[in-house]
Amino acid sequence: MALLQSPSLCFGGAALNSRHSSASFRPGNLKPSPLSSPPRASSPRLSSRCKAAPAVGGGSSEADGSSLVVCFGEMLIDFVPTINGLSLADAPAFKKAPGGAPANVAVGIARLGGTSAFVGKVGEDEFGYMLAEILKENNVNNQGLRFDPGARTALAFVTLRSDGEREFMFYRNPSADMLLQEDELDLELIKKAKIFHYGSISLITEPCKSAHIAAAKAAKEAGVVLSYDPNLRLPLWSSAESAREGILISEEEISFLTQGEDPYDDAVVRKLYHPNLKLLLVTEGPDGCRYYTKEFSGRVKGLKVDAIDTTGAGDAFVAGVLSQLARDLSLLQNEEKLRDALKFANACGALTVMERGAIPALPTSEAVANAVLKIVA
């Protein structure tokens, strides 16, 4: 589900938090620097805790910096069974795939022709270097990426049921993404964004929680639009109640946050609305999505496909919406244009479930355009 707030955006499904809303937007200009991988032998130290990745520009030199979307949070390795419908113990093999919701969104936006950057932390290990390279290969600015020499890159084993839905087992006690500190933030990069996107996982533990709040505060003060994806992952929280307090949204997230109430009831969804919210989106998988603003609401049908792996489908949807909003925020006031953007986003999610893994399955703008044309035809 997704929410958009006054100039802030929220996804979570997704939701915008009024505490992080901003009243104006001042566009900044991102000047991409040459793409390069982080050196494995030596790289500039920010402190004894971590290394910083060399500046990596996202997009071409002609890219419009005012459409930059900065994604904050976790980047990790997903291990996905090669055969659906088996438990982790019974799976004969796993496919390694880069993932992490905010990173998926950043790559998704770049694949769609947008300008994006990622801010977060990985381990100073082979997986961390691999993920930095993935960002580079996908033209995502990674100058806000940090490497921690004392913690490993997070891993997630993902079981795929016969219907393609997932169950997770995480290895992050602690992982590098949890250890990002406030003084390691690239605040200048964040302030240059048009949209600052984040999830709830980075709000679970310190010191990353404080870094997250500081980053959102800097974005708000710079007039950047905020986008929030609740991204419910209960095993990562200390309790269901702490998750309910920390996350503030998909049908599953609405039902959870409203303690079991019907997520399809508009009155229930409206309970999550607040005065600063500009747009609330509720994702419904293959059935599409619902949208809510102060002026209008409705539903946009999804694209029916045979699901192989739903990992990253919601992130692809978010990337689709943000890529359109970064180009034209007036979508929030025009229902017809918003519906077109949501059709585009639904197609992004549908195409992603047709392959295994999140980032490897994220579609290009050409693939999405062809899928949308087929729907119209």
Side-chain angles (χ1 to χ4, degrees):
M1 159 183 102
L3 315 175
L4 295 174
Q5 140 185 351
S6 68
S8 304
L9 311 176
C10 180
F11 290 83
L16 286 188
N17 188 320
S18 61
R19 292 173 300 174
H20 298 153
S21 63
S22 47
S24 62
F25 164 63
R26 299 193 299 274
N29 293 313
L30 173 66
K31 296 180 179 179
S33 52
L35 294 176
S36 61
S37 300
R40 303 196 180 195
S42 63
S43 54
R45 282 193 177 272
L46 288 183
S47 67
S48 60
R49 294 188 306 273
C50 77
K51 292 182 179 180
V56 175
S60 66
S61 59
E62 292 80 19
D64 179 6
S66 67
S67 65
L68 172 68
V69 180
V70 173
C71 300
F72 175 95
E74 70 279 3
M75 190 173 191
L76 46 80
I77 304 293
D78 286 326
F79 285 90
V80 184
T82 54
I83 298 176
N84 288 8
L86 297 177
S87 67
L88 288 174
D90 293 332
F94 296 86
K95 177 183 177 181
K96 177 186 65 181
N104 294 343
V105 173
V107 173
I109 290 169
R111 289 251 180 102
L112 295 170
T115 306
S116 64
F118 176 76
V119 174
K121 201 172 193 182
V122 293
E124 189 181 333
D125 51 37
E126 289 301 312
F127 283 146
Y129 290 122
M130 185 195 88
L131 293 175
E133 185 69 17
I134 291 292
L135 292 175
K136 177 189 126 177
E137 290 173 355
N138 284 280
N139 216 20
V140 175
N141 184 308
N142 75 354
Q143 71 185 61
L145 182 67
R146 302 291 180 255
F147 293 86
D148 194 303
R152 296 297 189 187
T153 300
L155 307 179
F157 284 81
V158 188
T159 60
L160 300 175
R161 302 199 303 254
S162 57
D163 60 1
E165 284 299 326
R166 306 150 298 154
E167 294 176 358
F168 296 87
M169 183 166 72
F170 295 92
Y171 286 80
R172 54 193 308 269
N173 293 303
S175 54
D177 61 289
M178 302 165 65
L179 302 178
L180 180 67
Q181 307 226 13
E182 183 176 344
D183 62 3
E184 295 169 353
L185 295 172
D186 188 333
L187 295 179
E188 291 308 308
L189 173 65
I190 292 170
K191 292 174 183 178
K192 290 176 182 177
K194 185 169 189 177
I195 298 172
F196 180 64
H197 175 73
Y198 52 89
S200 68
I201 290 177
S202 50
L203 287 168
I204 297 175
T205 59
E206 295 289 2
C208 188
K209 179 179 179 179
S210 292
H212 177 138
I213 293 171
K217 182 175 183 290
K220 171 190 171 181
E221 292 175 349
V224 179
V225 174
L226 303 183
S227 169
Y228 174 43
D229 176 5
N231 196 28
L232 178 62
R233 297 287 182 268
L234 264 182
L236 297 179
W237 292 84
S238 60
S239 69
E241 188 55 37
S242 63
R244 190 172 286 111
E245 293 174 356
I247 296 175
L248 208 209
I249 305 192
S250 70
E251 325 149 9
E252 178 188 13
E253 288 155 344
I254 294 175
S255 180
F256 174 73
L257 290 175
T258 58
Q259 302 191 51
E261 293 188 73
D262 183 3
Y264 296 97
D265 185 336
D266 286 351
V268 172
V269 176
R270 287 286 184 182
K271 289 182 179 181
L272 301 175
Y273 216 86
H274 56 73
N276 289 324
L277 212 56
K278 287 294 183 182
L279 172 65
L280 164 62
L281 300 176
V282 181
T283 56
E284 299 180 339
D287 295 325
C289 66
R290 283 175 285 158
Y291 59 91
Y292 302 83
T293 73
K294 293 177 183 178
E295 291 77 27
F296 50 78
S297 63
R299 171 181 272 104
V300 176
K301 292 182 179 179
L303 178 64
K304 301 293 184 181
V305 296
D306 293 327
I308 295 176
D309 178 8
T310 59
T311 305
D315 303 327
F317 173 87
V318 172
V321 174
L322 293 185
S323 70
Q324 302 300 299
L325 284 166
R327 295 186 179 99
D328 184 9
L329 282 174
S330 72
L331 293 174
L332 297 175
Q333 287 80 45
N334 186 311
E335 185 172 11
E336 183 178 355
K337 290 168 67 175
L338 177 61
R339 288 182 64 86
D340 286 341
L342 295 177
K343 289 175 185 176
F344 181 87
N346 281 341
C348 291
L351 292 174
T352 301
V353 306
M354 298 173 69
E355 297 183 34
R356 294 185 189 277
I359 287 178
L362 293 169
T364 62
S365 56
E366 292 78 12
V368 177
N370 290 334
V372 172
L373 284 175
K374 289 179 181 178
I375 297 174
V376 174

